[in-house]
Amino acid sequence: MVYRDAQEGKFLAAQGAEQIRLIKEAYKFYVKNDFRDALAFGAIALINRYLKVAKLPKEEDAMFAAAVYLVSRNPFSFANHTSKQEFAEQIGIKPASLEWYSENLAEKLGFIRINDYRHFPYYIDPEGVINSVIISVVRQTVEELMVRTVLGVEIFNEVEATDAIVDRLVDRLKIVPNVFKPEIRRLVSEYMSEEIKKYT
């Protein structure tokens, strides 16, 4: 108990009493709405990150709903065809408020939006495993290809390199379901362009 109190005291000092109150209220909200612990704790972690870069929310429940909405729409939740309107109605939140807070959370935290073939949105956390692996594979591939090009072993072909990376990520590593292959290609292409700039 003493250890827990000490830890909470440190957290209070770092985050402030209002942020702690919001996190506790968020957990109550998730329990009341029967969200699984994995979703609830993931959403609370997002809220904690959000509160470090944004103002305190005017509509707390809408922010709580937006955080769990983003977490629930990771690529492995495919096929998740619940609309924002339906999601908002299920937990008694105004759809416009859910829309605003989910967009604001995604923007402030740099979430990457990808769509399925029906244009339903899914989100990749920029600090999550999926994005970390994509960046790592792109960086390693570009570095290796640049060295091989300098040595005259082969000529750097960006299109072929992109295809190879996407096949590796989606078909072999299965980092996201196959339906997102075009979206991962777009993301890999963007990251590759950034990596190539480091060598020019």
Side-chain angles (χ1 to χ4, degrees):
M1 187 67 173
V2 172
Y3 175 77
R4 200 185 102 192
D5 289 346
Q7 291 302 106
E8 186 165 309
K10 286 180 186 176
F11 195 59
L12 274 168
Q15 299 297 313
E18 187 60 17
Q19 284 87 343
I20 291 293
R21 183 193 68 76
L22 278 170
I23 285 167
K24 289 179 176 178
E25 288 301 316
Y27 185 63
K28 289 178 193 172
F29 177 85
Y30 299 139
V31 169
K32 184 182 83 175
N33 285 285
D34 293 322
F35 286 107
R36 297 188 326 270
D37 275 354
L39 284 178
F41 295 142
I44 288 168
L46 279 196
I47 290 168
N48 191 41
R49 280 162 57 191
Y50 178 71
L51 292 174
K52 292 175 183 176
V53 296
K55 294 177 183 174
L56 294 172
K58 291 180 180 174
E59 298 177 74
E60 294 178 4
D61 285 358
M63 183 192 64
F64 303 156
V68 80
Y69 172 80
L70 289 181
V71 171
S72 72
R73 296 205 66 86
N74 74 77
F76 283 103
S77 71
F78 175 81
N80 180 351
H81 292 147
T82 304
S83 69
K84 277 185 184 166
Q85 173 94 22
E86 291 167 326
F87 188 88
E89 288 171 0
Q90 285 168 9
I91 52 178
I93 301 293
K94 291 185 287 187
S97 296
L98 177 65
E99 176 71 31
W100 192 89
Y101 277 100
S102 60
E103 291 300 316
N104 195 256
L105 268 162
E107 181 187 333
K108 294 275 188 193
L109 298 178
F111 269 60
I112 301 153
R113 179 180 166 149
I114 60 175
N115 296 310
D116 67 15
Y117 58 89
R118 289 178 59 183
H119 301 290
F120 277 89
Y122 296 80
Y123 296 89
I124 296 174
D125 185 341
E127 295 182 15
V129 172
I130 293 172
N131 199 47
S132 297
V133 171
I134 294 171
I135 289 170
S136 178
V137 170
V138 168
R139 187 172 292 145
Q140 179 186 22
T141 303
V142 170
E143 184 177 27
E144 183 182 321
L145 287 171
M146 286 297 183
V147 168
R148 292 169 72 85
T149 300
V150 168
L151 294 174
V153 176
E154 67 180 275
I155 296 169
F156 190 105
N157 183 313
E158 196 171 333
V159 174
E160 285 180 9
T162 301
D163 289 345
I165 291 170
V166 172
D167 288 345
R168 181 178 173 194
L169 290 169
V170 180
D171 297 334
R172 295 210 308 273
L173 296 177
K174 301 193 183 305
I175 196 151
V176 295
N178 194 268
V179 68
F180 297 113
K181 204 169 187 178
E183 295 283 66
I184 295 303
R185 182 179 305 281
R186 174 182 58 81
L187 198 54
V188 165
S189 184
E190 288 173 15
Y191 287 161
M192 184 170 281
S193 295
E194 290 301 311
E195 282 300 312
I196 289 169
K197 284 177 188 173
K198 296 177 184 177
Y199 294 89
T200 55

